[in-house]
Amino acid sequence: MAKTKDMTNSSGQLLEIFWGSGSPFAWRVLMTAELKSVPFESRRLQFTEKEHKAPAYLAINDRGEVPTLRDGNFVLTESLAIMTYLDAEYADPPLFGRSSPATGLIWQWISVFVYHFDPLAVRIIAPVFGGVLDAFEDDIQVAAANLHSELSRVEESVEGNLWLGGDSVSAADIIGYCDLEFLLRIVGRDEVKRLRLGFDELEDRYPSITAWRDRMTRIEGYDKAYPPHWRIS
Ligand SMILES: N[C@@H](CCC(=O)N[C@@H](CS)C(=O)NCC(=O)O)C(=O)O
């Protein structure tokens, strides 16, 4: 039976979500939990203090990555798995589709982001974090061009529908949105802007994506899940 919003687990505890600010993977999970009004204990880990590499955390996530969910004795890693677990435990609103076509479309879009968009985005993000932009500039330009092809597909989809999976917000929107916002934050840095990757003209180039991003900011729990340190810097 799906849980109602005020239920605790069999040990009488709220489930816990371990996360770090700015992680798109953790953000997906927090957005899912907030959208569903899941009662949970927030366990924020400070990356700067290496709290995600502390022995107590490695005991539940031996990769030392966020997010992790703990529900009583049950521990789950991997953001997609956690989103699926939350959807199964807290049915309302369903984020993986109300019909077979909707479920299929949602997974199609999740796959597009996981298998196509994200690997391209990493080809830009990793050199930025590594401080090796110049050495990778040619590859960054190729990755950016391919990312624009992916964004054109998203544009076409949200031109006809409000949401990627159809007529209600779904896991595909959450995953796509968090991944896109993370990329836009990185390509918005001055040192990346000078490469002219074409993300500055987002609103003109992708008006339907712009409207979709705006819709995303109005979903239930959006503000609570927003990465807190992004509000400051
Ligand atoms: N496949 C994992 C990826 C999680 C992940 O890479 N998290 C990053 C933050 S964005 C992390 O914790 N990195 C810390 C590290 O690897 O040291 C998921 O979907 O949850």
Side-chain angles (χ1 to χ4, degrees), residues 35-36 87-88 90-99 106 168-171:
L35 177 55
K36 288 174 170 288
D87 197 63
Y90 297 86
D92 185 30
L95 294 181
F96 289 88
R98 295 170 200 263
S99 66
I106 289 163
S168 57
V169 68
S170 77

Side-chain angles (χ1 to χ4, degrees), residues 112-205:
V112 165
F113 280 98
V114 171
Y115 297 118
H116 297 280
F117 186 94
D118 290 351
L120 291 167
V122 165
R123 283 164 58 186
I124 300 177
I125 294 165
V128 174
F129 284 168
V132 287
L133 268 185
D134 290 341
F136 283 86
E137 181 171 351
D138 288 349
D139 189 61
I140 287 171
Q141 293 289 357
V142 173
N146 287 322
L147 276 167
H148 283 296
S149 302
E150 295 303 330
L151 287 176
S152 299
R153 292 185 168 94
V154 176
E155 175 75 7
E156 208 176 302
S157 174
V158 291
E159 222 170 76
N161 295 300
L162 288 182
W163 307 102
L164 286 172
D167 57 7
S168 57
V169 68
S170 77
D173 298 290
I174 292 176
I175 288 167
Y177 179 79
C178 294
D179 292 357
L180 177 59
E181 296 308 303
F182 185 65
L183 172 71
L184 292 178
R185 189 174 154 86
I186 303 300
V187 296
R189 292 184 180 195
D190 288 342
E191 72 266 29
V192 191
K193 277 184 160 181
R194 72 173 169 77
L195 301 182
R196 300 188 174 284
L197 301 178
F199 295 104
D200 284 352
E201 309 91 39
L202 208 82
E203 294 181 10
D204 296 333
R205 206 159 164 174

Side-chain angles (χ1 to χ4, degrees), residues 3 7 37 46 48 50-51 88 93 131 138 143 150 152 163 168 183 188 212 214-215 220 228:
K3 282 182 181 164
M7 277 172 77
S37 303
Q46 297 290 351
T48 49
K50 299 250 177 291
E51 288 179 345
D138 288 349
E150 295 303 330
S152 299
W163 307 102
S168 57
L183 172 71
W212 168 75
D214 186 54
R215 277 195 290 286
E220 179 73 29

Side-chain angles (χ1 to χ4, degrees), residues 22-26 28 47 52-53 63-67 77-80 182:
S23 158
F25 304 104
R28 295 169 177 180
F47 291 125
H52 58 306
K53 302 296 178 191
R63 292 182 204 274
E65 291 180 348
V66 291
T77 64
E78 295 298 331
S79 55
L80 249 175
F182 185 65

